[in-house]
Amino acid sequence: MGKSSRDKRDVFYRLAKEGNFRARSAYKLIQIDEEFDLFTGVFHVVDLCAAPGSWSQVVSQRLASDKNEGERAVKIVAVDLQAMAPLPGVVQIQGDITKKGTAEAIIEHFEGKSAHLVLCDGAPDVTGLPDFDEYVQAQLLLAAFNIATNVLVPEGTFLAKLFCGKDVLVLLSHLQKFFKEVVIAKPRTSRNSSIA
């Protein structure tokens, strides 16, 4: 049986369908929030590599009660190469996060303000060649990190998917130069076979 059969047996796949989330990954973000309290004091969020939009859905729901104005008005910007179906309260940018123009478009949407939280659940299409897949994923992470360093407030949070391969310590050492605390977390929703 193919991947779809495995997914249909997966409890988080079924929960996502029942909860009207676009993907099971919504529960990864929910579980990370439960552990680290991501959304307290957060009004401006960037969701990179956002398609199909499940993380943006979670963010939108979590921040929906915050109807503040001015500096505290909620702004959510979702970015992906692929177009996504619209989400209430989410501005979408179709673009490549490795390109300067995409980063500039994100910054423009915040109208001189900064983001409190930058998310990136991006991963390449896995080829089955671990070294290559880890390299491509690391490039996505570094592109997201570059955007984060340009849009985050001081003490802001950057949450990104990371393939835990042989060069993970090099990536972590770079992140530790910019962030006071760097933590690796693997939510229960991650499949056991996943290296992310």
Side-chain angles (χ1 to χ4, degrees):
M1 305 288 263
K3 176 183 174 193
S4 62
S5 294
R6 184 186 72 213
D7 285 347
K8 287 177 183 165
R9 290 189 303 261
D10 180 281
V11 65
F12 292 105
Y13 173 87
R14 289 192 308 271
L15 283 172
K17 292 299 176 197
E18 291 167 13
N20 291 320
F21 286 114
R22 295 180 178 184
R24 69 187 302 284
S25 60
Y27 288 96
K28 289 181 188 176
L29 186 58
I30 289 167
Q31 289 175 359
I32 292 169
D33 177 42
E34 288 169 356
E35 185 173 351
F36 296 100
D37 191 26
L38 292 177
F39 298 110
T40 298
V42 168
F43 305 102
H44 302 157
V45 180
V46 178
D47 182 9
L48 303 171
C49 302
S54 61
W55 279 25
S56 292
Q57 282 181 292
V58 172
V59 172
S60 179
Q61 289 176 7
R62 296 287 164 111
L63 302 184
S65 61
D66 296 324
K67 303 284 188 204
N68 298 309
E69 300 298 322
E71 292 289 319
R72 296 170 73 92
V74 172
K75 280 189 180 255
I76 304 166
V77 176
V79 184
D80 201 281
L81 281 170
Q82 302 174 30
M84 294 182 349
L87 285 167
V90 178
V91 172
Q92 295 183 31
I93 298 172
Q94 190 172 351
D96 181 342
I97 66 168
T98 66
K99 304 294 184 200
K100 182 179 177 186
T102 303
E104 289 169 345
I106 295 166
I107 292 167
E108 186 179 310
H109 274 289
F110 282 100
E111 301 166 340
K113 299 176 182 70
S114 297
H116 304 105
L117 175 62
V118 174
L119 306 169
C120 182
D121 191 30
D125 291 331
V126 178
T127 65
L129 303 170
D131 289 345
F132 179 76
D133 293 338
E134 289 165 20
Y135 172 78
V136 175
Q137 202 279 331
Q139 298 311 302
L140 274 177
L141 177 99
L142 291 172
F145 170 69
N146 182 45
I147 290 171
T149 57
N150 283 287
V151 301
L152 271 177
V153 296
E155 307 293 318
T157 301
F158 174 52
L159 171 64
K161 180 181 285 187
L162 173 68
F163 284 6
C164 291
K166 64 180 183 176
D167 294 326
V168 70
L169 294 178
V170 174
L171 285 169
L172 293 176
S173 68
H174 287 301
L175 294 171
Q176 288 166 340
K177 292 177 183 174
F178 289 85
F179 295 98
K180 186 170 29 177
E181 184 179 16
V182 176
V183 176
I184 295 178
K186 184 166 179 162
R188 297 180 317 276
T189 50
S190 289
R191 292 185 179 100
N192 291 335
S193 61
S194 174
I195 60 171

